[in-house]
Amino acid sequence: MMNLKVIGTGCEDCDRLYENTKQAIAQLGIEAELEKVEDLMEIVKLGVMTAPSLMKDGKLIISGQVVSTDKIVKLLQK
Amino acid sequence: MAIVQNVWFFLQDQILGMKWLNALIGNLLTALGLDISSRIGGAVQFFLYDTIKIFVLLSVLIFVISYIQSYFPPERTKKILGRFHGIGANTLAALLGTVTPFCSCSSIPLFIGFTGAGLPLGVTFSFLISSPLVDLGSLVLLTSIFGGKVAIAYVIVGLVLAVLGGSLIERLHLENEVEEFIRKAGRIDLDSPELSLSDRLEYAKDQVVATVKKVAPYIFIGVGIGALIHNFIPQSFVETVLGGDKWYSVPLATLVGVPMYADIFGTIPVAESLFAKCAGLGTILSFMMAVTALSLPSMIMLRKAVKPKLLAVFFSIVTVGIMLIGFLFNYFSFLFVV
């Protein structure tokens, strides 16, 4: 199963990216595990330095940007 | 040579300074029956002109800057820096600080990422000093108000401050003044997502919208204060308190600027109106640097990553550096007479 992590310390943008990602999963009708990583220590362990970011199976696919649901759909299909 | 100079002045005054806009607004206000030579009329004109000018410059600038920045996400900057050593690494950190997207809210993950990757402490601080202080935006905005010579001089001294400040911190060997958990963080190298041209353009557009929203209040406040100074504060007062020939003007401007937090775009109109009232050039630059480089929120964030002693050292070095730059510019201000 695909693992998705929305990363960022609880800012407004992080919530928006989380919602968009949730919708993208629903649109694609795929099974995915969606997590929100908000703890600073956890973020550090992942090696991410910008928020909000989206990680798919350990790979950074969005860095420091809120993107639209459509865009996430495209990125997930790759 | 004369042609080159004319083209340059046209660029500086009309494109960057938008003097035509000021004249246009003046004519419009006069047509509406407002006397622009009166205090109120002058303040209205300054407010309209400056707000429009700053928003236009801001949008264009952020777009271009963000596009360039999309090539330098912090993860990549970290990797580049890891390959350099000594003063070269400090210099590169200061330069990359000008193009890496940065806000005080991301200083902690960034600090941790850099330190965890084994970058020397001084290199990280070079980056942290230069990042808010000098960016491409400040270069263009300063050109629009003070002219190209001052803008370039500002960028150079800003970078020098970042390199020297960082090197000094490294010399002091304060590595154990970094919070425990950061040193243990270890090194993780992530690949940044690959971006296409349209991704980058979209990123740049998003940054423009987000930045305009974020800094708009600062700009309105900044322009408001600027308009008040411009039309209601007597020149003699500004000259007495902030004149370049007064030694106390620089420390005063720095101390007033430090606790304040505003984007460089918000400080520009204040600087502009103070400059018109003959405040010292160095004094104004000290004020701008103090406002942008040091602020309470960023100090609070940084405190999570470093112990008080290192924070105090960082704070002192930057404050003293800013004052030195102020004195320097005031002393050599005759070189910059427009």
Side-chain angles (χ1 to χ4, degrees):
Chain A
M1 193 166 61
M2 190 189 284
N3 173 283
L4 293 169
K5 289 187 176 76
V6 176
I7 300 151
T9 40
C11 54
E12 221 175 279
D13 286 346
C14 311
D15 293 338
R16 274 166 52 217
L17 186 64
Y18 182 81
E19 283 309 312
N20 290 355
T21 312
K22 209 159 108 183
Q23 279 176 24
I25 296 172
Q27 266 185 36
L28 285 166
I30 50 169
E31 288 236 354
E33 186 188 7
L34 178 60
E35 294 175 62
K36 211 182 219 179
V37 184
E38 287 180 303
D39 181 55
L40 194 62
M41 282 314 298
E42 291 299 314
I43 297 175
V44 171
K45 276 184 199 152
L46 291 170
V48 174
M49 295 202 276
T50 29
S53 293
L54 180 63
M55 210 178 223
K56 175 190 161 189
D57 298 328
K59 199 167 169 276
L60 209 53
I61 57 170
I62 292 165
S63 170
Q65 193 185 7
V66 179
V67 296
S68 65
T69 307
D70 293 345
K71 185 83 189 283
I72 300 172
V73 168
K74 271 185 212 147
L75 285 172
L76 293 185
Q77 278 171 332
K78 266 187 195 165
Chain B
M1 200 57 211
I3 298 175
V4 175
Q5 208 167 27
N6 280 336
V7 170
W8 173 250
F9 279 124
F10 177 77
L11 197 74
Q12 190 173 308
D13 289 348
Q14 299 300 337
I15 308 281
L16 295 177
M18 293 193 224
K19 295 254 160 76
W20 57 270
L21 180 71
N22 199 29
L24 181 73
I25 291 171
N27 290 341
L28 276 176
L29 289 176
T30 312
L32 289 170
L34 195 69
D35 179 12
I36 55 166
S37 58
S38 73
R39 280 184 171 186
I40 302 282
V44 171
Q45 184 184 17
F46 180 87
F47 188 86
L48 290 175
Y49 160 69
D50 237 40
T51 326
I52 297 172
K53 181 179 87 177
I54 289 177
F55 274 106
V56 170
L57 282 177
L58 175 76
S59 304
V60 175
L61 278 176
I62 299 289
F63 191 86
V64 175
I65 293 164
S66 305
Y67 184 82
I68 298 171
Q69 284 179 342
S70 72
Y71 288 92
F72 297 95
E75 289 84 3
R76 179 153 181 238
T77 300
K78 183 182 86 176
K79 276 192 215 164
I80 298 174
L81 283 176
R83 289 187 229 127
F84 291 82
H85 302 283
I87 195 110
N90 288 81
T91 311
L92 194 67
L95 287 172
L96 284 169
T98 64
V99 291
T100 305
F102 177 82
C103 79
S104 58
C105 54
S106 60
S107 58
I108 297 312
L110 208 132
F111 189 92
I112 298 167
F114 277 22
T115 317
L119 291 182
L121 200 56
V123 172
T124 310
F125 273 101
S126 284
F127 182 89
L128 281 180
I129 296 171
S130 112
S131 198
L133 200 59
V134 188
D135 62 31
L136 300 168
S138 55
L139 180 64
V140 179
L141 281 170
L142 287 170
T143 309
S144 118
I145 309 177
F146 303 113
K149 266 199 275 182
V150 173
I152 290 166
Y154 172 88
V155 170
I156 291 171
V157 291
L159 289 174
V160 168
L161 174 63
V163 172
L164 291 185
S167 308
L168 192 60
I169 288 176
E170 200 158 332
R171 283 285 157 79
L172 294 172
H173 295 293
L174 295 165
E175 278 72 16
N176 45 8
E177 289 298 314
V178 175
E179 290 292 350
E180 217 55 47
F181 75 98
I182 292 173
R183 276 181 284 159
K184 287 192 203 129
R187 169 173 200 148
I188 305 123
D189 273 331
L190 272 182
D191 282 324
S192 311
E194 280 189 20
L195 298 175
S196 66
L197 177 67
S198 72
D199 286 339
R200 291 184 200 281
L201 290 175
E202 200 182 303
Y203 173 77
K205 195 199 77 198
D206 286 351
Q207 290 300 113
V208 171
V209 176
T211 310
V212 167
K213 267 193 212 155
K214 195 174 72 185
V215 306
Y218 294 116
I219 293 178
F220 283 118
I221 296 169
V223 179
I225 296 173
L228 285 180
I229 296 171
H230 196 262
N231 295 283
F232 291 92
I233 310 259
Q235 180 157 340
S236 56
F237 177 78
V238 175
E239 271 175 23
T240 314
V241 181
L242 298 171
D245 52 340
K246 308 290 187 299
W247 69 267
Y248 52 80
S249 70
V250 170
L252 186 70
T254 311
L255 293 179
V256 170
V258 165
M260 279 203 252
Y261 174 68
D263 191 89
I264 182 117
F265 291 97
T267 54
I268 292 278
V270 178
E272 196 175 1
S273 53
L274 285 175
F275 189 59
K277 294 269 161 154
C278 298
L281 179 62
T283 310
I284 296 172
L285 291 178
S286 289
F287 174 73
M288 290 174 62
M289 288 181 147
V291 171
T292 48
L294 296 171
S295 71
L296 210 52
S298 66
M299 287 295 136
I300 292 169
M301 285 296 282
L302 204 56
R303 171 62 191 90
K304 287 185 194 161
V306 305
K307 294 178 186 166
K309 190 175 159 196
L310 179 53
L311 190 68
V313 169
F314 167 69
F315 182 84
S316 316
I317 288 179
V318 178
T319 310
V320 171
I322 289 173
M323 288 191 198
L324 284 179
I325 290 173
F327 287 129
L328 212 64
F329 267 94
N330 276 348
Y331 190 73
F332 290 105
S333 63
F334 59 87
L335 293 176
F336 300 102
V337 178
V338 188

